[in-house]
Amino acid sequence: MTNTYSRLISIENIFQAWEEFRRGKRGKYDVQVFERHLEDNLFDLHYQLNNKTYKHGNYSEFYVNDPKRRHIHKAEINDRIVHHLLYKYLYELFNKTFICDSYSCRVNKGTHRAVKRLENFSRSLSRNYREDFWALKFDIRQFFASVDHKILLNMITKRGNDKNILWLLNQVINSFSAGIPLGNLTSQIFANIYMDKLDQFIKHELKIKYYLRYADDFIILDKNRTYLCQCISTLKQFLSKSLKLELHPKKIILKKFSWGIDFCGYTVLPHYILPRTKTKRRILKKVLKHKTSSQSLQSYLGYFSHTNSYLVSQNLKNIYFLSH
C-alpha cells in the first residue's frame, strides 16, 4: 500500500473528515444515530478502506427548489466521510493549476468575487464605461448528468497516479450510473476538474482575455459581436469532441453590456450592480408572506449589500419589522 493512500485514509484524517462533515448537521437524525457508536463506525470505515473491502452504498433521492428544481442524491454517512477525504486530496492536487477566473467551490473565490471580477472586466473593456461591448453567456445542457466517467478518471489519472487512490475514486465515481450526482461533495471538485479542460482551451488556445466561469455558467466579453458568434460554433465542437458535452441551445445569450449582464444572481451594468429582478421579487414575496426568520433576513440583506440597492434593503427591513 502506498504512503499517500495510507496517509489519506489514516484514522486521524477520517476523524477530521467526520468533524468537517458534521458541521451544521448535528441535529439530523441519521447523524445522531451514527454518532451513538462513532468510534466503532469510524474504525470500521478505516478497516474497510485499509483492506480495500469498502464499497460505496446506495443513494436516497429527493427534490429541492432553490428556486430551480434540482434532483438531489444523498449518500450514506460512511460514503460522505469518504467524499470529504477525497475532496481535500483532489483540491490540493488540482486547485493550484485551475485558471484564476474559475470561481465555483474554491477558497477565496465564490459568487461575490466572480461578480466583482466581471465588474472590473467591464470597466476595463468599456474604457471606464465610455464604450459598449458584447457579452456571450452560455451554459451546458444537463452538465452533471452528462459528465463522462472515463474522461473524468483519465483527467485525474494524469495528475495523480496512485493506484489505491484511483481504486477509491473508481468506487465513488461509478457509484452513480451516469454523470455525477448533485449532493456529493466530490461532485464539486469533479466539476472543476472536468471543466478545467474547457477553461484552458479558452484561455490558452483561443487566447480570450475576458472570460469567467462559475460552475457550468460561462461568460466571454469582447467588443466584436461577430467574433463571439464564431466562438459559439468553436465551443460546440470542442465540448462535443473533448468532453462529450453540448451547449444548452436555449441558454446561449449574446447581449450588450449597456443592457445588463446577469451572472451569479446579480446584474452588472455601467456604474451599477443590481440584484437580479427575479431574485428580488422572490425575496420580497417571502418576506411579505411572513416566511422569513431573522437569520434569513440577514442573509437577504447580505445579498443586497453587494448591490446598489440601499432603498430595496430599507424597504425589506421595514416590511419584516412591521410583520413581526
Side-chain angles (χ1 to χ4, degrees):
M1 187 175 295
T2 61
N3 288 334
T4 305
Y5 184 69
S6 295
R7 287 195 303 271
L8 177 71
I9 65 161
S10 68
I11 196 65
E12 294 84 3
N13 273 348
I14 289 174
F15 269 89
Q16 185 179 351
W18 157 255
E19 290 295 331
E20 291 168 357
F21 159 75
R22 75 168 181 169
R23 283 177 198 153
K25 303 184 186 76
R26 298 193 71 173
K28 302 286 185 182
Y29 177 73
D30 57 345
V31 175
Q32 291 173 351
V33 170
F34 189 90
E35 204 163 15
R36 286 174 195 166
H37 304 284
L38 179 62
E39 290 192 0
D40 288 343
N41 288 329
L42 295 183
F43 275 98
D44 186 49
L45 175 60
H46 175 258
Y47 177 85
Q48 293 173 31
L49 292 170
N50 192 56
N51 291 279
K52 295 173 77 174
T53 57
Y54 165 80
K55 292 188 184 305
H56 198 287
N58 295 324
Y59 291 89
S60 56
E61 53 185 290
F62 54 93
Y63 289 89
V64 297
N65 298 294
D66 63 344
K68 184 178 176 182
R69 188 169 173 82
R70 298 181 186 274
H71 194 187
I72 305 297
H73 289 80
K74 186 171 108 174
E76 296 171 1
I77 290 179
N78 258 5
D79 301 319
R80 290 154 81 187
I81 293 170
V82 171
H83 298 169
H84 274 264
L85 291 172
L86 287 173
Y87 179 89
K88 188 173 181 180
Y89 167 77
L90 290 171
Y91 188 91
E92 291 176 356
L93 190 63
F94 281 91
N95 184 61
K96 57 184 174 290
T97 60
F98 291 152
I99 66 166
C100 172
D101 290 309
S102 163
Y103 286 89
S104 174
C105 305
R106 298 177 67 193
V107 177
N108 296 323
K109 297 289 183 177
T111 56
H112 298 138
R113 287 181 183 266
V115 172
K116 197 68 182 174
R117 181 69 159 169
L118 175 57
E119 182 187 38
N120 291 339
F121 276 174
S122 300
R123 186 183 294 115
S124 174
L125 194 54
S126 66
R127 297 182 66 218
N128 232 7
Y129 308 129
R130 292 194 298 268
E131 299 173 4
D132 215 345
F133 61 86
W134 291 87
L136 171 63
K137 190 170 183 285
F138 58 96
D139 75 6
I140 307 296
R141 185 204 287 269
Q142 295 184 324
F143 169 68
F144 282 90
S146 303
V147 168
D148 184 275
H149 290 180
K150 287 183 180 179
I151 293 174
L152 176 60
L153 280 165
N154 284 338
M155 289 174 173
I156 295 171
T157 303
K158 287 178 181 177
R159 189 67 55 81
N161 57 6
D162 186 295
K163 62 180 182 179
N164 295 300
I165 296 177
L166 291 173
W167 165 81
L168 186 55
L169 281 162
N170 258 291
Q171 292 292 318
V172 173
I173 291 171
N174 291 316
S175 68
F176 205 63
S177 57
I180 51 178
L182 278 169
N184 278 8
L185 176 65
T186 46
S187 294
Q188 299 175 5
I189 188 69
F190 289 157
N192 276 340
I193 292 168
Y194 207 79
M195 284 289 92
D196 184 60
K197 193 164 187 177
L198 176 65
D199 296 341
Q200 301 294 341
F201 174 74
I202 288 173
K203 294 297 292 184
H204 301 297
E205 297 295 323
L206 300 184
K207 308 289 186 184
I208 290 174
K209 181 178 180 181
Y210 299 108
Y211 165 70
L212 292 156
R213 179 174 67 82
Y214 188 92
D216 60 337
D217 288 330
F218 313 79
I219 287 185
I220 297 174
L221 311 177
D222 201 275
K223 290 190 176 182
N224 190 327
R225 184 182 185 277
T226 303
Y227 173 70
L228 290 179
C229 289
Q230 292 169 349
C231 281
I232 295 171
S233 60
T234 303
L235 293 171
K236 283 181 178 178
Q237 290 173 14
F238 178 83
L239 286 167
S240 176
K241 183 179 178 181
S242 300
L243 297 172
K244 295 186 179 179
L245 298 174
E246 59 179 305
L247 295 182
H248 196 303
K250 294 182 179 179
K251 295 184 179 180
I252 300 172
I253 300 167
L254 188 59
K255 61 194 304 186
K256 286 185 177 180
F257 173 49
S258 57
W259 302 346
I261 305 171
D262 284 350
F263 192 52
C264 292
Y266 298 89
T267 301
V268 177
L269 289 147
H271 305 287
Y272 296 99
I273 297 176
L274 298 177
R276 186 179 286 164
T277 303
K278 285 183 180 179
T279 306
K280 182 172 68 175
R281 285 177 184 162
R282 191 172 71 252
I283 289 172
L284 290 171
K285 188 176 179 180
K286 283 185 178 181
V287 175
L288 284 167
K289 287 188 174 182
H290 316 307
K291 292 184 177 179
T292 307
S293 65
S294 59
Q295 187 176 2
S296 295
L297 175 66
Q298 293 307 314
S299 176
Y300 298 152
L301 292 173
Y303 164 76
F304 286 119
S305 71
H306 295 278
T307 70
N308 302 91
S309 305
Y310 174 77
L311 292 178
V312 176
S313 295
Q314 292 302 110
N315 188 34
L316 191 68
K317 286 190 275 190
N318 291 337
I319 293 170
Y320 175 82
F321 289 117
L322 285 171
S323 63
H324 283 71

